[in-house]
Amino acid sequence: MVFALVLLLLAVLLGLLVGPVQIAPVKLLTLWSADQDMDGRVLELIRLPRVLLAALVGACLASCGAVMQGLFRNPLADPSLIGVSSGASVGASCVIFFSGFGFLGSGLGLPAIAIGAFLGGMAATAVVYRLATSVTGTSVSTMLLAGIAITALAGAVTSLFSFFADNEMLRRISLWQMGNLDSANWHRVMVIAAVVIPLVLVLPREGRALNAMLLGESEARHLGIGVEQLKRRLIVLTALGVGVAVAVSGVVAFVGLIVPHLVRLLIGPDHRYLIPGSALLGAVLLLLADTGARTLMSPAELPTGVITALLGAPFFVALLLRQRRGLVS
């Protein structure tokens, strides 16, 4: 945890100082002062909101990924299994296609695309949960299958929007699905902070219950865990957190999958430490990815989701190969 905190501090400093405009470290001392120069304004209005947004989104996705992996008892699970990301893509694509800015308006500093993405993610999760719930309870395996079906259906709907969209609409849909933090501002930071900060404080309290779930649902019930209430609570919290994160940043791949798996290999499967550790390293990963997106092709910017996928996929494959060869305990 100490190592992760140090990495997070270094990643924050790197994100603040590095970019198309290089900023001297001494400028951090004049942040929010009355006599700011241009570098100070860049720090206050552009860099700091973007760094905070990246850290909050990364922490949210990674901690929710750890929760989903524990709930599904599968280290290869991620938050998209319950349909949040795919539903958000449909919502955002619908708003872009129908140019619904005037109809939906904006609230809390968020554009209509973000609102549509959030509503789409919540609707998809509600459908998945309803399909998996019966009089006997909620089946995790049925939820997984329902999530796969809803994700496929949402992908088809999004592709249908893309097929009929003009060039400008198609570009906006594609860029949103790649994930990007270039529209970061203080309004978005406050909105996601109001959700993510309580979330990362509450989720570790479910660590003991998730540890019991690793033994199986029957064993968890014998240990006094309210399994159905736990499932409902975790799905609602995960859907809320990931829905807000996807709404403000687009679809950022691999953070919710690779970070919990990496933390599990380093410190073990105890969710009391796995969830907060995943939140810290998730923030670090997305901060570094966003810094790379801003600097690799400066002054142009790469989508942050592309960077996380380019870094995450090979690293994840290498991690699996090392584990298979017995080099990782």
Side-chain angles (χ1 to χ4, degrees):
M1 291 296 183
V2 174
F3 178 68
L5 284 171
V6 172
L7 280 180
L8 180 58
L9 177 61
L10 293 176
V12 168
L13 292 176
L14 186 68
L16 289 174
L17 301 177
V18 176
V21 177
Q22 302 295 325
I23 297 178
V26 70
K27 295 293 183 180
L28 296 175
L29 302 176
T30 64
L31 192 61
W32 290 309
S33 65
D35 54 344
Q36 282 184 342
D37 57 8
M38 182 59 68
D39 287 348
R41 299 291 289 175
V42 169
L43 273 175
E44 179 183 351
L45 300 178
I46 299 177
R47 292 280 175 84
L48 187 56
R50 184 157 181 169
V51 164
L52 292 177
L53 187 67
L56 289 169
V57 170
C60 178
L61 294 177
S63 57
C64 290
V67 168
M68 285 294 98
Q69 291 175 8
L71 184 62
F72 285 97
R73 299 190 295 278
N74 187 342
L76 299 181
D78 71 351
S80 65
L81 285 178
I82 58 175
V84 183
S85 299
S86 57
S89 294
V90 173
S93 300
C94 180
V95 171
I96 293 172
F97 183 80
F98 290 108
S99 300
F101 294 97
F103 175 73
L104 290 175
S106 61
L108 300 176
L110 295 176
I113 295 176
I115 297 175
F118 178 77
L119 295 177
M122 294 301 100
T125 303
V127 171
V128 170
Y129 181 78
R130 185 65 186 88
L131 291 174
T133 303
S134 64
V135 293
T136 59
T138 303
S139 170
V140 172
S141 59
T142 304
M143 189 184 304
L144 175 61
L145 295 174
I148 293 173
I150 294 300
T151 298
L153 177 61
V157 174
T158 303
S159 298
L160 195 63
F161 281 126
S162 300
F163 179 80
F164 288 107
D166 59 25
N167 290 336
E168 178 62 23
M169 291 179 182
L170 182 60
R171 177 173 175 80
R172 292 173 63 192
I173 291 174
S174 299
L175 288 176
W176 189 89
Q177 290 178 336
M178 293 178 190
N180 214 325
L181 300 171
D182 59 353
S183 57
N185 55 48
W186 284 110
H187 292 290
R188 295 191 174 210
V189 171
M190 288 187 289
V191 169
I192 193 171
V195 174
V196 173
I197 292 177
L199 190 71
V200 298
L201 294 176
V202 168
L203 287 180
R205 300 178 61 183
E206 308 288 353
R208 292 184 182 274
L210 283 171
N211 289 342
M213 286 289 289
L214 294 178
L215 303 174
E217 292 188 15
S218 299
E219 290 77 2
R221 288 191 180 94
H222 289 307
L223 292 173
I225 304 298
V227 173
E228 294 304 320
Q229 294 84 352
L230 177 67
K231 291 178 185 176
R232 188 181 305 114
R233 189 163 61 247
L234 292 180
I235 290 170
V236 169
L237 291 174
T238 299
L240 178 62
V242 177
V244 173
V246 173
V248 300
S249 66
V251 180
V252 179
F254 267 98
V255 176
L257 173 63
I258 189 173
V259 173
H261 193 66
L262 175 60
V263 176
R264 187 179 292 105
L265 291 175
L266 293 174
I267 66 174
D270 191 339
H271 287 85
R272 294 175 298 171
Y273 310 107
L274 176 63
I275 295 174
S278 297
L280 290 173
L281 284 187
V284 171
L285 175 61
L286 198 55
L287 276 169
L288 295 178
D290 186 57
T291 303
R294 289 188 284 111
T295 57
L296 289 177
M297 298 186 65
S298 179
E301 285 191 16
L302 292 172
T304 307
V306 173
I307 299 295
T308 58
L310 289 175
L311 294 177
F315 182 76
F316 191 62
V317 171
L319 206 62
L320 292 177
L321 291 177
R322 289 186 63 193
Q323 186 181 30
R324 181 178 178 183
R325 294 169 185 168
L327 298 179
V328 176
S329 59

